[in-house]
Amino acid sequence: MTDTQYATGLIHTRGLSKNYGSRTALATIDLDLRPGQIIGLLGENGCGKTTLLKTLAGVLSGYDGEVTIAGHAPGPESKSLVSFLPDVGFLIPSHKVSFCLTMWSDFFADFDIDKARSMINDFGIDENLRIKQLSKGMREKVQVAIAMSRRTPVYLLDEPISGVDPSARDSILRSIMANLSEDSLLLISTHLVHDLEPMLDAVVMMRYGQVMLQGSADDLRAHHGTSLDGIFREEYR
């Protein structure tokens, strides 16, 4: 997979807008995100990050503007190219971890169950435990393992480290890095910029449903003379 395969980006939007009644969730979002990058989708809670990710994942419709994933509008074809981790739990509490892996293997032809089992083993989680027996951090690790075990060019992760302790955050981020192919595109949303900064190639900062700043991590640090975390704190002060 190379940049030249996607003249307008693996993820491409022009004038993407979404309203909930009188409230604007997204306002004319323009993006061209290319493969081989880890991109931080940064912003405060309620700024539109989740709405953007759901739209890109093809689980939210009723938007205006143009959206394509590898040239496909959100729909059945694009969903096969995207692994989406939502910001809410998607596993049934009474199911065992092992059953969840088998179920995802049945759902998705591109799901690598051996990879998922390896990740869960690395996390130190017993596959025979039920989801309801796991701590919040352990549940998030299982969900990350499931999301990262699909063979897709695009990964959309919505706040995968929110609400877990620092040790769990580090473990989750290390696992994501270790299990991401170098030609994939990872778009990961967070407001915990400091934790993600070392892994980011580029950022998209949002506020009030708009993109207020985007670019490569190195260029932004050089231009502003500070870290991404420092830029974030200044912009959202």
Side-chain angles (χ1 to χ4, degrees), residues 158-173:
D158 195 359
E159 298 280 3
I161 59 172
S162 178
V164 300
D165 63 72
S167 176
R169 289 178 201 166
D170 290 343
S171 178
I172 288 170
L173 293 177

Side-chain angles (χ1 to χ4, degrees), residues 33 37-43 49 53 85 144 148 155-161 172-173 176-177 180 185-192 195-197 199-204:
L33 308 182
Q37 296 187 91
I38 299 175
I39 301 175
L41 181 60
L42 313 179
K49 301 190 303 294
L53 290 179
L85 175 67
V144 166
M148 296 305 299
Y155 296 87
L156 306 175
L157 308 185
D158 195 359
E159 298 280 3
I161 59 172
I172 288 170
L173 293 177
I176 290 171
M177 289 289 290
L180 183 70
L185 169 61
L186 169 60
L187 183 59
I188 179 170
S189 79
T190 190
H191 58 276
L192 302 171
D195 296 270
L196 257 68
E197 177 154 358
M199 65 188 285
L200 298 180
D201 299 305
V203 298
V204 176

Side-chain angles (χ1 to χ4, degrees), residues 13 39 50 57 90 97 134 143 148 162 189 197 207 229 233:
T13 74
I39 301 175
T50 292
F90 58 82
V97 173
L134 304 178
Q143 296 191 153
M148 296 305 299
S162 178
S189 79
E197 177 154 358
R207 197 171 204 185
D229 188 50
R233 292 174 185 275

Side-chain angles (χ1 to χ4, degrees), residues 69-211:
I69 308 294
H72 301 286
E77 288 183 306
S78 73
K79 286 182 180 180
S80 68
L81 303 171
V82 173
S83 182
F84 175 48
L85 175 67
D87 65 336
V88 295
F90 58 82
L91 302 176
I92 297 175
S94 61
H95 285 173
K96 289 185 177 181
V97 173
S98 58
F99 180 81
C100 294
L101 301 187
T102 301
M103 184 167 59
W104 249 255
S105 184
D106 291 339
F107 284 166
F108 299 102
D110 59 25
F111 185 74
D112 187 341
I113 193 169
D114 292 332
K115 180 178 180 180
R117 284 178 171 148
S118 177
M119 291 178 69
I120 285 170
N121 182 66
D122 289 344
F123 283 138
I125 297 172
D126 184 347
E127 281 188 46
N128 292 311
L129 290 175
R130 299 185 188 278
I131 299 303
K132 64 184 177 183
Q133 295 176 287
L134 304 178
S135 67
K136 179 176 176 57
M138 292 170 71
R139 289 196 301 272
E140 193 63 41
K141 288 175 181 178
V142 172
Q143 296 191 153
V144 166
I146 288 173
M148 296 305 299
S149 293
R150 287 188 59 200
R151 302 185 192 93
T152 59
V154 178
Y155 296 87
L156 306 175
L157 308 185
D158 195 359
E159 298 280 3
I161 59 172
S162 178
V164 300
D165 63 72
S167 176
R169 289 178 201 166
D170 290 343
S171 178
I172 288 170
L173 293 177
R174 283 197 303 270
S175 185
I176 290 171
M177 289 289 290
N179 289 280
L180 183 70
S181 63
E182 63 181 22
D183 59 351
S184 295
L185 169 61
L186 169 60
L187 183 59
I188 179 170
S189 79
T190 190
H191 58 276
L192 302 171
V193 184
H194 175 75
D195 296 270
L196 257 68
E197 177 154 358
M199 65 188 285
L200 298 180
D201 299 305
V203 298
V204 176
M205 291 190 185
M206 294 185 64
R207 197 171 204 185
Y208 307 132
Q210 298 177 307
V211 173

Side-chain angles (χ1 to χ4, degrees), residues 1-9 34-35 70:
M1 186 187 302
T2 63
D3 284 358
T4 56
Q5 286 180 268
Y6 308 108
T8 58
R34 301 186 178 278

